Amino acid sequence: MEIIEGVVRDIIFQNEENAFCIMRIEDDEDVHIALGTFPFIAVGQTLRLHGDWTTHASFGKQFKCVNYEEVMPDSLKGIEKYLASGSISGIGPITAKKLVDKFGHDIFDIIENQTERLMELEGIGEKKVRLIYDSYIKGREVKNIMVFLQSYGVTPKQALKIYRVFGSDSVRRVRENPYVLSEEVPSIGFKTADSIARNLGIEADSPFRIQSGIKHLIQEFCTQGSTYMPKDLLVERAGMTLEVPEELIIANLTHSVMAGKLALEKVGDREGVFSLPYLYAEVAVTKMILSLALDELEPLKVDVESDIREFEEKNQIQFHEKQIEAIKGAVNHGIEIITGGPGTGKTTIIKCILHIFEKSGMKVLMGAPTGRAAKRMSEATLREAKTIHRLLDLGVSSEDEEVLFDEDNTLSCDAVIIDEASMIDIMLMNNLLKGIKPKTRLILVGDADQLPSVGAGRVLEDLIDCTAFKVVKLDYIYRQGKESNITLNAHRINTGQMPTLNAKDSDFFFITGMDNQDTLEKTVDLITNRLPKFHEKWDRIKDFQVLSPMRKGDLGVNNLNEVLQKALNPKRKKYGFTDFQVGDKVMQTKNNYMIKWKKIQRIHGEPPEGQGIYNGDIGYVTAINEEEQQVSVLFDEDKIVDFESQDLDDLELAYAVTIHKSQGSEFKVVLIPLFMGPPLLMSRNLIYTGVTRAKELLVLVGSKKALAYMIQNTRTYERYTSLKYRIMNILDNLIT
């Protein structure tokens, strides 16, 4: 095995998933091509590589690295280059020079042991000092963890996730209990933890191994949307995974139940094994929602018939009998569910309900599961709507300092209206109901035929199927005019019929793609060429949205974003800390209630700044500050957020997003590439959800066979939930 040592001059290719990297490294004699697994490297670092020389048929002589170590520079020039490389967050080229000029060879000791001295430099405050220190220590600790874990088959990306969970305690925790990885670290499976355990000498029939395996199987099963796992299915899968006798599995399952780590209950005609959080959530939701439904309400002093007529006259509409039933149901019931597809009048019904409630002096709060859905609700009703998390987590509104909570920590209101209720999972529903006081009316509005919640549960379906609450199903299409083709075809898809394609003056088109590559090229051409010519007012980046069923593959979101970024935003500049470019379309992937924003155009009476960016919010990169390692993003056309480097993991490119991620949003133009994929992802409710996201134009590109398959395929991941049965059991007991 040979050794070369040099400075990283350029990174030619880097795979963030597995840290595989091809780079140019310069030693005293020449510049070489080296390849291997290199997590957390940056241009300017000095590395000592261990490996062998190989010759590639196309690319010539290369150094194939087996392992490596970082060599800290000893010259002041080398130290400055290292600090300027971007390997330590918070230090760019200008700050690097100032630090070396001020502290010389002592800079690394000062960063590690006398961190506060960094504030002797102008422009470095406590926040930046903490960022520099944390980045320096994290880099060193993660590299040590890598050395320990790589011999057990753990990838660099997994090692980073382990560090994020356990920090500097990672090696000790893994040595003591490797199965903790599958239980507490996202994306690390039982097989990886089991492999480490075997190497550490843990026996196959160890009770700890079997109990950890059982818990992992339940957690893995519930990631597909269930709140419990059928016992017979669990025992079968545990036998195949753990390769131990069935009696050992049952004995260890019983032990976990007796120890209070799991729960075993009869659900319908089947025994189910619950992890405790889901069990507690379903039990709590059952009790709270039945209490709201059975509470005796204060009758409203309103003439509903007269108020409906007044609303009709003012808005020049005439309600259908189903819509009137929904409006009256909200007045007369503690719980009401209004469900229906696009164009069936759900938004108009909400507006009329608001009109009646507010006329009677009631205080109404409105919410939705996502930020974009809440924003759409606000725009449609001209009243404030918040995310459910925002309603529950903040006691004071940043806009007007209005108190939202009563003394008992429940929402201060008489009615709560929630839109896009199909997206609510069991944990969110539990939290919502905890915040609603007795005798408060709750109206849930949604489309039960859309995709179910990403999280566990089938809350809306269970509440409808249990027949315990007032449910109004809207099936008549009221919306006509320009959007009617999209609306009518959505309803055709929902009833198992092929949509009407390429009709004259239609807003619903299908373009054939001969294969995945042809489909990809036609999708890009539509966005960059054909559609902008068709409608000059459409913005190629802001108004067009590509939706895909999945993330991986040629037509998956990951590749689509890479291709579309190059096509729509071709000016490239290499940054040491981010791959984003100015002009990129990006999406926030997690709720961040604390991140601050500033308004670029302040309307009189509005606050100039605030906080909170939410999962699903789409924005546009306006500036990148390499020195400060900040990315500025414009949201909602008037809010600027400066993302520090540590917050960038919550942003991803959004030229293309998954159909799941698009729920609760609407876009002017939607393009959906269609191709054959895994059957459970090629479902009717998936294509139906995607189609209903379009406002002005919908274009399907690809295989008509794939479209037909999706429309006929009603098979989805079966969700095992107990909410419906619990509600029905209680009502049965009340009747008997």
Side-chain angles (χ1 to χ4, degrees):
M1 188 174 290
E2 298 190 48
I3 299 174
I4 63 172
E5 182 178 316
V7 177
V8 178
R9 290 301 179 209
D10 184 30
I11 297 173
I12 302 169
F13 172 81
Q14 190 168 30
N15 185 323
E16 292 185 3
E17 190 72 25
N18 57 21
F20 176 76
C21 181
I22 303 173
M23 62 182 176
R24 290 187 179 91
I25 186 167
E26 182 179 4
D27 61 13
D28 293 336
E29 299 178 1
D30 203 352
V31 177
H32 309 287
I33 299 294
L35 63 155
T37 299
F38 300 97
F40 316 111
I41 67 161
V43 173
Q45 286 181 276
T46 300
L47 304 179
R48 184 177 295 120
L49 311 183
H50 302 258
D52 296 294
W53 291 102
T54 62
T55 302
H56 191 278
S58 302
F59 304 112
K61 190 177 180 182
Q62 300 175 336
F63 191 82
K64 191 172 183 179
C65 178
V66 176
N67 54 62
Y68 76 98
E69 57 195 278
E70 184 177 7
V71 179
M72 300 305 287
D74 52 11
S75 70
L76 291 179
K77 186 176 180 181
I79 292 172
E80 183 180 332
K81 283 184 178 180
Y82 172 81
L83 293 174
S85 69
S87 58
I88 301 176
S89 298
I91 301 179
I94 297 173
T95 304
K97 186 176 190 317
K98 290 180 180 178
L99 289 170
V100 172
D101 289 346
K102 174 75 173 175
F103 300 114
H105 289 90
D106 296 329
I107 181 59
F108 294 117
D109 178 67
I110 285 170
I111 290 175
E112 185 171 354
N113 301 309
Q114 304 174 60
T115 320
E116 68 283 351
R117 288 198 60 195
L118 296 177
M119 288 189 288
E120 294 176 15
L121 279 184
E122 187 178 348
I124 296 184
E126 289 185 17
K127 184 179 178 182
K128 194 165 185 177
V129 165
R130 174 53 56 185
L131 178 65
I132 292 170
Y133 176 80
D134 287 347
S135 175
Y136 179 79
I137 295 300
K138 182 176 104 171
R140 191 181 64 184
E141 288 179 342
V142 171
K143 287 164 190 169
N144 291 337
I145 293 167
M146 289 285 302
V147 172
F148 170 73
L149 293 175
Q150 273 186 322
S151 60
Y152 297 112
V154 177
T155 68
K157 189 170 185 179
Q158 288 174 327
L160 180 58
K161 288 182 177 180
I162 292 170
Y163 175 81
R164 284 174 176 164
V165 174
F166 301 123
S168 59
D169 211 22
S170 298
V171 172
R172 184 187 67 80
R173 292 293 301 272
V174 172
R175 284 186 188 277
E176 287 181 355
N177 172 17
Y179 294 106
V180 77
L181 298 178
S182 65
E183 295 180 14
E184 298 188 32
V185 181
S187 83
I188 293 187
F190 180 79
K191 288 184 179 179
T192 300
D194 202 32
S195 173
I196 296 173
R198 294 293 183 92
N199 285 323
L200 292 173
I202 296 177
E203 297 294 332
D205 61 355
S206 161
F208 190 74
R209 175 179 182 263
I210 297 172
Q211 289 165 31
S212 295
I214 288 171
K215 186 176 180 181
H216 170 71
L217 285 169
I218 296 169
Q219 290 175 335
E220 186 180 57
F221 185 79
C222 289
T223 60
Q224 301 297 338
S226 295
T227 56
Y228 72 89
M229 187 172 184
K231 180 184 175 183
D232 55 345
L233 186 57
L234 173 60
V235 171
E236 178 188 340
R237 290 196 183 176
M240 292 189 299
T241 302
L242 301 175
E243 298 179 333
V244 296
E246 183 177 305
E247 56 266 27
L248 280 180
I249 294 168
I250 293 174
N252 280 279
L253 173 58
T254 303
H255 180 276
S256 294
V257 171
M258 297 299 291
K261 297 178 181 178
L262 298 171
L264 185 64
E265 287 197 6
K266 193 79 175 288
V267 182
D269 58 356
R270 209 168 185 180
E271 280 191 297
V273 185
F274 289 80
S275 61
L276 300 184
Y278 291 145
L279 173 69
Y280 296 154
E282 286 196 313
V283 169
V285 167
T286 300
K287 292 178 179 177
M288 290 185 289
I289 201 159
L290 280 174
S291 294
L292 286 176
L294 298 173
D295 275 343
E296 189 173 336
L297 297 172
E298 293 284 340
L300 299 187
K301 296 177 181 179
V302 293
D303 184 339
V304 178
E305 298 281 359
S306 174
D307 287 341
I308 290 174
R309 286 195 299 273
E310 179 185 319
F311 184 87
E312 287 176 323
E313 290 173 8
K314 183 179 179 181
N315 293 275
Q316 297 184 336
I317 61 171
Q318 184 173 356
F319 285 122
H320 186 270
E321 59 185 65
K322 278 279 189 181
Q323 292 178 306
I324 293 173
E325 180 188 347
I327 296 164
K328 289 181 177 179
V331 173
N332 298 324
H333 294 82
I335 300 284
E336 182 181 46
I337 299 167
I338 303 170
T339 180
T344 55
K346 297 190 297 294
T347 300
T348 308
I349 290 170
I350 291 174
K351 290 163 76 172
C352 187
I353 292 170
L354 282 167
H355 167 73
I356 294 171
F357 282 176
E358 291 172 351
K359 188 175 180 181
S360 65
M362 294 173 65
K363 180 178 178 183
V364 183
L365 293 178
M366 299 194 303
T370 67
R372 289 188 67 81
K375 183 182 177 185
R376 281 180 55 206
M377 197 178 188
S378 294
E379 291 169 347
T381 62
L382 301 179
R383 292 167 176 82
E384 184 181 37
K386 298 175 180 288
T387 64
I388 296 173
H389 289 90
R390 186 78 170 181
L391 278 176
L392 300 172
D393 288 349
L394 292 184
V396 178
S397 165
S398 61
E399 283 81 8
D400 54 15
E401 296 187 352
E402 174 190 9
V403 177
L404 298 179
F405 283 79
D406 286 335
E407 291 180 1
D408 58 357
N409 206 34
T410 56
L411 292 168
S412 175
C413 63
D414 303 297
V416 176
I417 302 176
I418 301 295
D419 199 10
E420 296 288 354
S422 64
M423 300 173 67
I424 301 176
D425 61 42
I426 192 64
M427 306 305 284
L428 182 56
M429 191 65 180
N430 184 32
N431 287 325
L432 172 63
L433 292 174
K434 283 179 181 176
I436 296 177
K437 63 186 177 183
K439 299 185 183 299
T440 300
R441 287 170 171 81
L442 173 62
I443 297 101
L444 300 173
V445 183
D447 186 346
D449 294 315
Q450 284 192 28
L451 291 168
S453 59
V454 175
R458 51 192 303 273
V459 174
L460 185 62
E461 297 95 323
D462 279 350
L463 294 180
I464 293 171
D465 293 347
C466 73
T467 68
F469 312 106
K470 174 66 177 176
V471 176
V472 179
K473 295 183 179 180
L474 307 170
D475 50 20
Y476 183 82
I477 302 172
Y478 304 91
R479 188 189 299 173
Q480 299 296 328
K482 187 174 181 181
E483 290 184 310
S484 63
N485 287 312
I486 293 173
T487 302
L488 289 168
N489 275 332
H491 284 271
R492 288 179 65 86
I493 288 170
N494 201 32
T495 55
Q497 302 175 71
M498 282 289 285
T500 302
L501 302 175
N502 303 340
K504 186 178 180 182
D505 298 325
S506 176
D507 53 9
F508 194 110
F509 290 92
F510 181 89
I511 296 174
T512 299
M514 302 306 296
D515 52 31
N516 284 1
Q517 187 59 36
D518 186 45
T519 298
L520 177 62
E521 290 171 2
K522 285 179 175 175
T523 301
V524 174
D525 184 54
L526 281 164
I527 295 172
T528 56
N529 255 333
R530 295 175 61 183
L531 291 179
K533 291 177 182 176
F534 176 72
H535 198 311
E536 293 181 358
K537 291 184 179 180
W538 282 337
D539 184 284
R540 298 189 310 165
I541 295 179
K542 292 184 178 180
D543 295 332
F544 296 164
Q545 186 60 57
V546 179
L547 304 180
S548 176
M550 61 195 74
R551 285 194 166 272
K552 296 182 179 179
D554 293 338
L555 295 171
V557 164
N558 295 340
N559 187 56
L560 281 165
N561 271 317
E562 187 176 328
V563 171
L564 289 168
Q565 185 191 40
K566 291 175 182 176
L568 295 171
N569 195 13
K571 292 183 180 179
R572 314 296 299 160
K573 182 177 179 182
K574 197 169 186 65
Y575 299 99
F577 71 104
T578 182
D579 291 327
F580 292 129
Q581 302 291 318
V582 172
D584 274 343
K585 184 178 187 177
V586 295
M587 176 184 280
Q588 176 77 7
T589 60
K590 294 179 182 177
N591 290 330
N592 187 335
Y593 299 102
M594 304 311 295
I595 198 165
K596 295 181 179 179
W597 48 259
K598 292 182 179 179
K599 286 209 170 183
I600 56 174
Q601 292 181 335
R602 185 183 175 189
I603 300 173
H604 180 70
E606 287 188 340
E609 57 187 33
Q611 57 190 46
I613 298 295
Y614 309 112
N615 183 11
D617 283 356
I618 289 178
Y620 305 90
V621 177
T622 59
I624 297 177
N625 187 324
E626 190 163 20
E627 175 65 24
E628 298 295 328
Q629 296 191 342
Q630 281 184 344
V631 175
S632 299
V633 180
L634 176 66
F635 291 96
D636 298 332
E637 299 182 356
D638 67 346
K639 295 177 183 175
I640 283 284
V641 178
D642 293 327
F643 285 84
E644 305 289 348
S645 58
Q646 69 267 25
D647 295 321
L648 291 177
D649 284 348
D650 294 344
L651 282 181
E652 62 182 27
L653 290 174
Y655 299 103
V657 301
T658 62
I659 294 175
H660 265 103
K661 205 70 172 173
S662 74
Q663 281 182 276
S665 301
E666 278 189 344
F667 310 97
K668 285 186 180 179
V669 181
V670 169
L671 299 96
I672 303 177
L674 293 174
F675 52 96
M676 294 305 294
L680 289 173
L681 284 177
M682 303 288 292
S683 64
R684 180 186 298 174
N685 62 359
L686 191 82
I687 187 64
Y688 171 74
T689 301
V691 165
T692 55
R693 301 307 92 203
K695 290 170 64 178
E696 297 181 13
L697 180 67
L698 187 284
V699 185
L700 306 174
V701 189
S703 164
K704 198 171 288 187
K705 177 184 175 183
L707 174 60
Y709 180 87
M710 294 180 83
I711 292 171
Q712 295 306 314
N713 179 27
T714 57
R715 180 187 171 206
T716 57
Y717 287 104
E718 184 174 1
R719 294 193 173 205
Y720 295 91
T721 64
S722 69
L723 181 61
K724 176 179 74 173
Y725 297 99
R726 293 181 190 280
I727 293 172
M728 293 171 69
N729 285 340
I730 289 178
L731 290 178
D732 287 344
N733 290 332
L734 287 175
I735 293 171
T736 56

